[in-house]
Amino acid sequence: MPELPEVETVVKSLEPIIGNQITASKVYQSQLRIGCKIPKDFSKLINLSKIKDIKRIAKYIVIELSNSEVLIIHLGMSGNLLLKEKDYKAKKHDHVIISFKDSSIVFRDPRRFGAIFIIKNQNLDAFFKDKKIGIDALSSKFTPKYLKATLKGRKTPIKTSLLNQKIVAGLGNIYVCEALFLCGINPCTASNDLTEKELETLVPAIKNTLKKSIKAGGTTLKDHKSANGTPGYFSQELLVYGKENQPCPECNTNIQKIIIGGRSTFFCPKCQK
DNA sequence: AAGTTCACCTGATGGC
DNA sequence: TGCCATCAGGTGAACT
């Protein structure tokens, strides 16, 4: 489910639990994404502390606790963080439940491509540095100039570069397709072949698409929901993603689907030469 | 080093 | 109804 707008939507909808004390927690399935196992002392590390703050870093949900531990959650492809009643009973694919006095949050992830980490507050910067997470797509530091410098010498298709979290953090398959369409850039274009003019339209197109989607609560294709269970409505505003063989909103040419870097890519062959 | 491909896992969908 | 193949909002290991 989750690209930047979907993660942002989940983070916002979790605001009500800020200040709450964790009364109990239970791990039902500790094995998530390969190499990511929830530690045995998970409950011991978080129980009785309070939720100090919840924010988004790249596609990660970062939950700061009062005892200087930080819970970092990645939703993978199919993950959800759901706000439930306090005595909610775990259903299939509910891997973790964290309880408060009057409510609880549930980490549900059928495909288990998600991940949960728990680290010390002081190691937060190092955590993302280690993962080599690039500048956030909504950051003021994400500029045409930055992108030009970072793409220099890269022959990979621009589609693939924009999906690379080390180059720019937050984009996923949907929003890359949408942003490239808005700029009339062919997704196969070699990254270092983009003109200065193209980069100058691309960066704002990316930011505007993401912001519009956040306003709509993200894109729900299947799994994405806010913590309250409400879907995102940006799906209705998608221009090319998932629209194979449907007319381009600009020129009526049929939208094509091709595979780039192993991922489905939707584009208009006429508008995106 | 940079560029590919593939595996990880479950569920939904469509063809036969 | 069932069986099989294909596909899915992501990531990173293992190849070339």
Side-chain angles (χ1 to χ4, degrees), chain A residues 40-141:
Chain A
K40 287 226 160 51
D41 55 353
F42 179 81
S43 289
K44 214 167 108 188
L45 285 168
I46 69 166
N47 283 4
L48 301 183
S49 61
K50 285 186 180 172
I51 309 287
K52 213 167 124 190
D53 194 22
I54 304 180
K55 60 184 178 185
R56 177 189 65 77
I57 297 180
K59 295 180 190 172
Y60 295 81
I61 298 164
V62 175
I63 304 178
E64 290 184 50
L65 303 181
S66 57
N67 63 354
S68 82
E69 300 287 344
V70 184
L71 209 49
I72 302 177
I73 300 176
H74 194 288
L75 298 174
M77 285 282 255
S78 59
N80 283 129
L81 259 191
L82 300 165
L83 200 47
K84 296 285 185 186
E85 64 277 10
K86 73 165 186 195
D87 46 3
Y88 171 85
K89 294 275 178 295
K91 296 201 179 108
K92 197 175 183 184
H93 302 128
D94 290 346
H95 307 316
V96 179
I97 297 184
I98 297 174
S99 307
F100 310 105
K101 185 167 156 271
D102 301 313
S103 63
S104 64
I105 50 174
V106 180
F107 175 71
R108 176 182 301 167
D109 183 11
R111 293 177 75 181
R112 280 186 282 130
F113 286 175
I116 296 185
F117 308 90
I118 181 151
I119 62 166
K120 294 263 182 272
N121 197 3
Q122 68 213 43
N123 298 329
L124 191 56
D125 290 344
F127 177 88
F128 289 101
K129 208 170 173 181
D130 183 57
K131 295 208 174 296
K132 300 191 168 63
I133 296 296
I135 287 178
D136 193 273
L138 286 183
S139 161
S140 57
K141 291 183 189 161

Side-chain angles (χ1 to χ4, degrees), chain A residues 3-271:
Chain A
E3 302 180 41
L4 187 154
E6 291 74 40
V7 178
E8 185 75 26
T9 300
V10 171
V11 165
K12 277 187 191 160
S13 60
L14 284 172
E15 265 173 26
I17 64 163
I18 292 177
N20 285 12
Q21 183 179 38
I22 298 172
T23 53
S25 56
K26 186 157 173 61
V27 176
Y28 294 89
Q29 165 66 271
S30 61
Q31 189 59 60
L32 302 176
R33 175 193 302 171
I34 316 177
C36 174
K37 207 171 164 75
I38 300 174
K40 287 226 160 51
D41 55 353
F42 179 81
S43 289
K44 214 167 108 188
L45 285 168
I46 69 166
N47 283 4
L48 301 183
S49 61
K50 285 186 180 172
I51 309 287
K52 213 167 124 190
D53 194 22
I54 304 180
K55 60 184 178 185
R56 177 189 65 77
I57 297 180
K59 295 180 190 172
Y60 295 81
I61 298 164
V62 175
I63 304 178
E64 290 184 50
L65 303 181
S66 57
N67 63 354
S68 82
E69 300 287 344
V70 184
L71 209 49
I72 302 177
I73 300 176
H74 194 288
L75 298 174
M77 285 282 255
S78 59
N80 283 129
L81 259 191
L82 300 165
L83 200 47
K84 296 285 185 186
E85 64 277 10
K86 73 165 186 195
D87 46 3
Y88 171 85
K89 294 275 178 295
K91 296 201 179 108
K92 197 175 183 184
H93 302 128
D94 290 346
H95 307 316
V96 179
I97 297 184
I98 297 174
S99 307
F100 310 105
K101 185 167 156 271
D102 301 313
S103 63
S104 64
I105 50 174
V106 180
F107 175 71
R108 176 182 301 167
D109 183 11
R111 293 177 75 181
R112 280 186 282 130
F113 286 175
I116 296 185
F117 308 90
I118 181 151
I119 62 166
K120 294 263 182 272
N121 197 3
Q122 68 213 43
N123 298 329
L124 191 56
D125 290 344
F127 177 88
F128 289 101
K129 208 170 173 181
D130 183 57
K131 295 208 174 296
K132 300 191 168 63
I133 296 296
I135 287 178
D136 193 273
L138 286 183
S139 161
S140 57
K141 291 183 189 161
F142 179 54
T143 61
K145 201 176 156 190
Y146 164 81
L147 201 51
K148 188 186 173 186
T150 315
L151 296 180
K152 196 178 173 188
R154 284 190 186 262
K155 292 170 189 163
T156 319
I158 184 64
K159 163 83 195 301
T160 306
S161 289
L162 293 177
L163 281 178
N164 184 342
Q165 303 300 297
K166 298 177 176 72
I167 293 174
V168 52
L171 292 174
N173 210 22
I174 296 179
Y175 299 107
V176 169
C177 290
E178 294 295 304
L180 288 174
F181 170 74
L182 287 171
C183 308
I185 298 171
N186 187 295
C188 297
T189 314
S191 299
N192 60 348
D193 281 353
L194 289 207
T195 64
E196 218 143 296
K197 205 175 161 189
E198 284 174 323
L199 290 169
E200 269 165 29
T201 56
L202 179 57
V203 170
I206 288 171
K207 295 190 186 198
N208 288 337
T209 308
L210 294 174
K211 284 182 196 163
K212 268 175 82 175
S213 179
I214 291 171
K215 272 191 188 159
T219 301
T220 297
L221 297 180
K222 257 181 63 180
D223 298 320
H224 164 66
K225 296 170 192 165
S226 76
N228 312 307
T230 51
Y233 298 103
F234 195 71
S235 0
Q236 296 167 14
E237 298 178 54
L238 294 177
L239 303 169
V240 290
Y241 184 87
K243 309 275 186 195
E244 187 184 14
N245 292 329
Q246 293 178 49
C248 164
E250 278 297 314
C251 75
N252 274 345
T253 305
N254 270 11
I255 299 298
Q256 275 186 20
K257 175 176 147 180
I258 56 173
I259 304 294
I260 301 176
R263 310 290 306 275
S264 290
T265 303
F266 300 87
F267 75 110
C268 170
K270 193 171 168 206
C271 297

